[in-house]
Amino acid sequence: MSLETPDKIRNLQRKLYCKAKAEPAFRFYLLYDKICREDILRHAYALARSNAGAPGVDGMTFKQIDASGVEAWLAGLREELVSKTYRPDPVRRVTIPKPGGGERPLGIPTIRDRVVQTAAKIVLEPIFEADFEDSSYGYRPRRSAVDAVKETHRLICRGYTDVVDADLSKYFDTIPHSDLLKSVARRIVDRHVLWLIKLWLKAPVEERDGDGTRRMSGGKSNTCGTPQGGVASPLLANIYMNRFLKHWRLSGRGEAFRAHVVSYADDFVILSRGCADEALTWTKAAMMKLGLTLSEAKTSVKNARKESFDFLGYTLGPQRYRKDGHWYLGASPSKKSVQRVKTKVGELLTPGNKGAWPVVRDRLNRLLIGWSAYFGYGTRLQAYRAVDNHVYDRVRHFLVRRHNVQGRGTRRFSRDDVFGDLGVLHLRRVHIGPPP
């Protein structure tokens, strides 16, 4: 199945977007039949399959569906939707380590629920995309986290250096269902679509303890939260966060605080000219009205001329030019981001990895290419050098153990060998050019 959006679906999305953009007060109806369309469900399956992911509570995999026949499976799912007998399965909850420590809960829907959510997203996203504020960058078409970093860097270079570095506490888990559904209903009056979204919000959550004991939570009694990991969750989270961003604009806070907001889902910064404290006080009150809470431990006010702050993996603020020592306002990969990729390199090149070297090398290069593609903005030479040095040390140790070489192996596996004949990606050389 092709991931190129078919022309018929693209035309539908364009019409929905243009209608929403031209008439901000228009409320859409008769959308449920679009979600049930065969071509949209087929494209939704292709998109869900490309994202792969772990199976849900039913254990069903894409491989099993392909083996049994995709068309028949999609026909059965469409029949459930058309007859209104579709009910989502429980969401399988797992926890993954957070970059800054602790654990983040993820909800994994079954494949059938992922496909239906993707189909709904295909239809609904263009409508709400027309409403989203320009200051929002998270989970949106043709926008990325690096775009948010670039805009933040541009603003501090223009003098908006009084920064509110904000963090919402458990944002995805605390979004109130009733207010979220009201936000959706401002644009969508198709009751079947609203019913579908409510089903996903009220889906029970299944957890398993270390001994395999099954525990159920959530369900109809649940009044807040949209599980991270669901296809529809980022769109719903953006819809609710847009309430704050729109209120900021309509109430004239930008002019009052001489400030701009740059938002990426639940991470956002307010960049001001001298009114950061006032902006923070107003934001706390506004978030409280929305049923949300700023994390006291992770929210701070900083002067970007004198101290740096981290945003979306980058460190922004004063940096010293190494050649002549002058200061400038820069952006570079944060120390935490560099340490995270070092940790991943170490986990890949463990003694227990018995894979053939070409396979190990290709996995390592994919990791480095992905990391450097994200951290390809700003001042990055020092970070790239640190990663290159670590990669060389870990690869050399890995190959010394594998080939039982005596000593440190610097002659057998020199830097030129590792980044040359052995084919390991050299970040400095590929992205910045060869050394003079």
Side-chain angles (χ1 to χ4, degrees):
M1 290 184 180
S2 173
L3 292 183
E4 281 287 323
T5 305
D7 290 340
K8 192 175 179 182
I9 297 176
R10 177 66 70 198
N11 289 336
L12 170 66
Q13 291 179 317
R14 190 178 292 114
K15 288 178 182 177
L16 291 171
Y17 175 84
C18 291
K19 181 70 173 178
K21 199 71 176 174
E23 300 183 40
F26 185 80
R27 301 176 76 193
F28 288 80
Y29 51 92
L30 295 180
L31 293 175
Y32 187 77
D33 63 318
K34 314 293 190 297
I35 295 172
C36 299
R37 268 172 38 177
E38 290 181 19
D39 58 335
I40 288 180
L41 285 172
R42 191 179 299 111
H43 185 56
Y45 180 82
L47 292 173
R49 199 186 194 296
S50 70
N51 292 327
V57 294
D58 61 357
M60 181 68 72
T61 65
F62 287 103
K63 190 174 180 180
Q64 291 173 323
I65 294 172
D66 291 343
S68 63
V70 176
E71 291 301 326
W73 185 86
L74 286 173
L77 181 59
R78 182 173 183 273
E79 176 57 33
E80 288 185 48
L81 289 169
V82 171
S83 62
K84 313 292 191 307
T85 58
Y86 165 81
R87 297 293 183 275
D89 296 308
V91 175
R92 182 166 73 91
R93 174 165 288 176
V94 297
T95 55
I96 59 171
K98 293 175 70 174
E103 292 183 329
R104 173 181 284 119
L106 278 185
I108 303 177
T110 57
I111 290 176
R112 65 191 285 274
D113 293 333
R114 272 181 257 173
V115 170
V116 180
Q117 288 186 26
T118 304
K121 184 172 179 282
I122 288 171
V123 175
L124 300 180
E125 187 174 60
I127 297 170
F128 290 102
E129 185 63 26
D131 291 339
F132 289 153
E133 297 291 316
D134 288 340
S135 54
S136 169
Y137 290 84
Y139 312 118
R140 294 180 62 187
R142 295 178 295 281
R143 289 189 170 217
S144 69
V146 177
D147 292 330
V149 172
K150 289 178 180 178
E151 177 65 6
T152 303
H153 186 208
R154 186 181 71 84
L155 287 168
I156 64 172
C157 289
R158 284 179 52 201
Y160 294 90
T161 52
D162 296 293
V163 180
V164 178
D165 182 11
D167 186 272
L168 285 168
S169 179
K170 298 181 179 179
Y171 173 60
F172 282 84
D173 295 333
T174 55
I175 298 175
H177 288 174
S178 59
D179 290 338
L180 172 60
L181 288 168
K182 287 177 186 175
S183 297
V184 176
R186 287 193 179 97
R187 274 298 201 178
I188 310 297
V189 292
D190 188 326
R191 61 190 181 90
H192 298 303
V193 174
L194 296 174
W195 164 78
L196 206 56
I197 294 172
K198 191 172 182 179
L199 283 179
W200 293 328
L201 293 175
K202 300 291 185 181
V205 176
E206 178 188 291
E207 294 180 79
R208 291 193 181 268
D209 298 332
D211 58 358
T213 305
R214 184 168 176 255
R215 286 193 298 117
M216 302 295 290
S217 59
K220 293 182 179 179
S221 61
N222 195 22
T223 59
C224 60
T226 172
Q228 286 179 269
V231 179
S233 292
L235 176 60
L236 295 174
N238 275 348
I239 291 170
Y240 199 66
M241 186 65 180
N242 200 59
R243 291 182 67 168
F244 166 74
L245 299 174
K246 190 173 182 179
H247 182 41
W248 169 278
R249 177 175 59 83
L250 294 178
S251 61
R253 293 304 94 191
E255 294 78 12
F257 300 139
R258 295 185 293 169
H260 294 270
V261 178
V262 180
S263 167
Y264 189 89
D266 56 337
D267 288 329
F268 68 97
V269 289
I270 300 173
L271 306 148
S272 168
R273 292 177 185 257
C275 301
D277 289 318
E278 295 91 326
L280 176 57
T281 301
W282 183 89
T283 300
K284 284 181 178 177
M287 289 299 180
M288 193 173 295
K289 290 179 181 177
L290 292 173
L292 306 172
T293 308
L294 285 177
S295 170
E296 294 288 344
K298 296 180 181 179
T299 300
S300 59
V301 174
K302 293 185 177 179
N303 181 352
R305 290 193 186 92
K306 297 180 180 179
E307 53 186 335
S308 60
F309 65 97
D310 287 355
F311 183 51
L312 301 176
Y314 279 81
T315 295
L316 298 103
Q319 298 183 6
R320 188 186 291 274
Y321 190 56
R322 297 180 71 187
K323 286 188 177 180
D324 60 13
H326 81 262
W327 291 92
Y328 66 98
L329 291 172
S332 59
S334 69
K335 290 180 179 178
K336 288 181 180 178
S337 300
V338 172
Q339 186 54 52
R340 280 199 290 272
V341 75
K342 286 181 177 181
T343 300
K344 289 180 180 178
V345 169
E347 291 171 349
L348 175 61
L349 299 172
T350 57
N353 189 340
K354 304 298 183 184
W357 169 246
V359 176
V360 175
R361 178 201 60 208
D362 291 348
R363 287 184 61 195
L364 174 61
N365 284 346
R366 282 196 296 271
L367 169 63
L368 297 174
I369 289 169
W371 185 84
S372 60
Y374 182 85
F375 293 103
Y377 175 74
T379 306
R380 55 200 187 276
L381 177 58
Q382 195 170 352
Y384 281 11
R385 278 177 174 163
V387 175
D388 281 339
N389 291 338
H390 182 77
V391 167
Y392 171 63
D393 286 340
R394 298 309 305 168
V395 168
R396 179 166 50 80
H397 285 304
F398 180 80
L399 294 174
V400 162
R401 287 192 301 266
R402 174 166 286 194
H403 295 283
N404 294 319
V405 175
Q406 295 297 317
R408 298 178 62 210
T410 51
R411 288 189 179 181
R412 172 83 179 271
F413 304 109
S414 66
R415 289 182 73 93
D416 288 341
D417 290 330
V418 168
F419 294 119
D421 293 340
L422 291 172
V424 176
L425 182 71
H426 193 186
L427 294 182
R428 185 192 188 283
R429 190 169 298 163
V430 170
H431 292 277
I432 303 177

